[in-house]
Amino acid sequence: MKPDNQIAIFSLDSGSDFASQVAAHLGIPLGKHEERDFEDGEHKIRPLETVRNRDVFVVQSLNSSDGFNTNDKLVRLLFLLASLRDAGAARINVVAPYLCYSRKDRRTKPHDPVTTRYVAQLFEAVTIDTMVTVDVHNRAAFENAFRCPTVHLSAREAFIDYLLPELGDREITVASPDIGGVKRAQLFRESLASRLERPVGSAFMEKHRSGGEVSGSAVVGDIRNRTVLILDDLIAGGGTMQRAAEAFKDQGAEDVMAIATHAVFTHDTGDKLASPALSRVILGNTITPSLPSLKTKVELVDITADIADTITALHEGRDVTDLES
């Protein structure tokens, strides 16, 4: 069955703000659906409009929020996708800007689960056609986990567009808070240098994690008297960003800013990001952070237009390579 020329956009209630912005860029309304909760904790989810023979996109980040934990959202999303398939959708595309369990992508101890792959199998069980995400923790692991087509987007250019007018003649270094993120920081550095039309420095910080404890403090790279942009895919507890910012300041950085696509904040993130070593925390809007104490420090960069462009390209059958990172 080939899809007709109608796009349908859906999300769970918990993701409707972000999805509504995407739908507005596309000039279409967000699809209506019903979510019912039963006393025993089970759910019923169904579309309230026809999707037969339509190209359906479900836009939903899978983080804990709004009283729902990650697992709640994952199960609800799977039920919505299955009900859309049963209702006759021609094609079902998942846009999960933040994809849960992506950090557990390999075995680091005996008998470790590779949870990224298990989540991919759950999506494949409801027969999705495409999985789209933004700045996943490990792109190669994400692509290898899924057997359906995948699209990996980056918020890199959106961040650069946001920062470029104010960087002026500053000496800039793009830093990774650990060696695992060096490739991500390198791509950002190359794009920023091209846009600035001048060299941009690079740096990273040593980090070791074992049993939940983080150690390491060595700094590699030129940061003295420079504005340092610490880049990561997400901020959770905030300890990694705090440690890196304070180490860079101790080594002579003039100004330190944190940049991350996903605000996967925990209860003590605010205390860590309140460190005076960090002047600003610049985040993508894939997840709306709820830290009123940091409202003067946290800034959100809107990526919904990029999501809408990707949906249009996929619907029209165009190559999305130039939209990917």
Side-chain angles (χ1 to χ4, degrees):
M1 187 191 323
K2 293 184 178 179
D4 63 22
N5 200 37
Q6 287 186 298
I7 295 178
I9 305 288
F10 286 86
S11 78
L12 301 175
D13 289 339
S14 60
S16 61
D17 288 346
F18 185 91
S20 293
Q21 294 178 62
V22 173
H25 286 298
L26 294 166
I28 60 176
L30 191 63
K32 293 182 175 61
H33 76 289
E34 176 190 30
E35 291 184 42
R36 288 182 59 191
D37 299 331
F38 298 101
E39 291 181 355
D40 63 355
E42 294 184 356
H43 319 294
K44 172 187 174 181
I45 301 177
R46 64 180 177 126
L48 294 177
E49 59 187 63
T50 182
V51 295
R52 184 163 298 280
N53 202 31
R54 296 178 72 180
D55 195 7
V56 178
F57 291 82
V58 182
V59 180
Q60 181 68 45
S61 278
L62 293 170
N63 60 292
S64 297
S65 70
D66 305 310
F68 302 110
N69 64 36
T70 295
N71 298 330
D72 288 333
K73 287 188 180 180
L74 177 59
V75 168
R76 287 169 183 261
L77 177 58
L78 291 169
F79 286 175
L80 176 57
L81 295 171
S83 68
L84 290 165
R85 179 65 73 191
D86 287 348
R91 192 168 66 170
I92 296 177
N93 312 276
V94 178
V95 181
Y98 175 71
L99 182 59
C100 62
Y101 293 109
S102 294
R103 285 178 281 179
K104 192 53 186 162
D105 54 31
R106 65 190 186 281
R107 291 189 176 92
T108 55
K109 295 182 179 179
H111 315 303
D112 257 3
V114 186
T115 319
T116 296
R117 179 163 54 83
Y118 308 157
V119 169
Q121 290 171 333
L122 290 173
F123 280 109
E124 288 160 6
V126 294
T127 58
I128 67 170
D129 294 279
T130 311
M131 170 61 78
V132 181
T133 193
V134 182
D135 285 329
V136 77
H137 189 66
N138 182 331
R139 178 175 177 174
F142 161 69
E143 292 173 341
N144 289 332
F146 284 86
R147 297 297 175 262
C148 66
T150 59
V151 177
H152 180 266
L153 303 176
S154 174
R156 180 172 62 247
E157 293 302 326
F159 284 130
I160 292 174
D161 287 342
Y162 184 81
L163 287 167
L164 207 61
E166 61 190 84
L167 293 181
D169 296 327
R170 296 191 194 189
E171 293 296 316
I172 308 294
T173 289
V174 175
S176 172
D178 55 50
I179 196 167
V182 167
K183 178 63 175 178
R184 182 184 302 109
Q186 177 69 8
L187 291 171
F188 191 99
R189 186 195 67 79
E190 291 172 357
S191 293
L192 182 59
S194 175
R195 298 282 295 278
L196 287 171
E197 298 182 331
R198 67 173 190 267
V200 172
S202 62
F204 69 89
M205 183 175 169
E206 173 193 29
K207 186 179 87 169
H208 306 289
R209 184 186 297 274
S210 180
E213 296 295 322
V214 176
S215 61
S217 58
V219 172
V220 177
D222 183 15
I223 58 173
R224 183 167 296 278
N225 299 323
R226 301 173 75 91
T227 293
V228 178
L229 309 178
I230 309 177
L231 184 76
D232 213 344
D233 60 316
L234 60 87
I235 298 175
T240 295
M241 277 294 183
Q242 179 192 24
R243 289 177 61 259
E246 290 174 355
F248 293 144
K249 286 292 282 187
D250 288 345
Q251 293 293 320
E254 182 178 295
D255 187 22
V256 181
M257 306 179 200
I259 302 173
T261 304
H262 310 294
V264 193
F265 289 175
T266 61
H267 67 280
D268 59 350
T269 305
D271 295 336
K272 304 291 179 58
L273 298 184
S275 169
L278 275 172
S279 65
R280 300 163 69 186
V281 179
I282 301 169
L283 305 166
N285 67 334
T286 58
I287 298 171
T288 302
S290 55
L291 287 177
S293 62
L294 289 177
K295 63 181 179 181
T296 60
K297 184 179 279 192
V298 170
E299 304 166 38
L300 293 183
V301 175
D302 185 9
I303 66 163
T304 55
D306 296 327
I307 297 290
D309 288 344
T310 300
I311 288 173
T312 299
L314 288 171
H315 177 66
E316 295 176 352
R318 292 190 281 113
D319 190 355
V320 296
T321 302
D322 60 334
L323 298 172
E324 297 183 66
S325 64

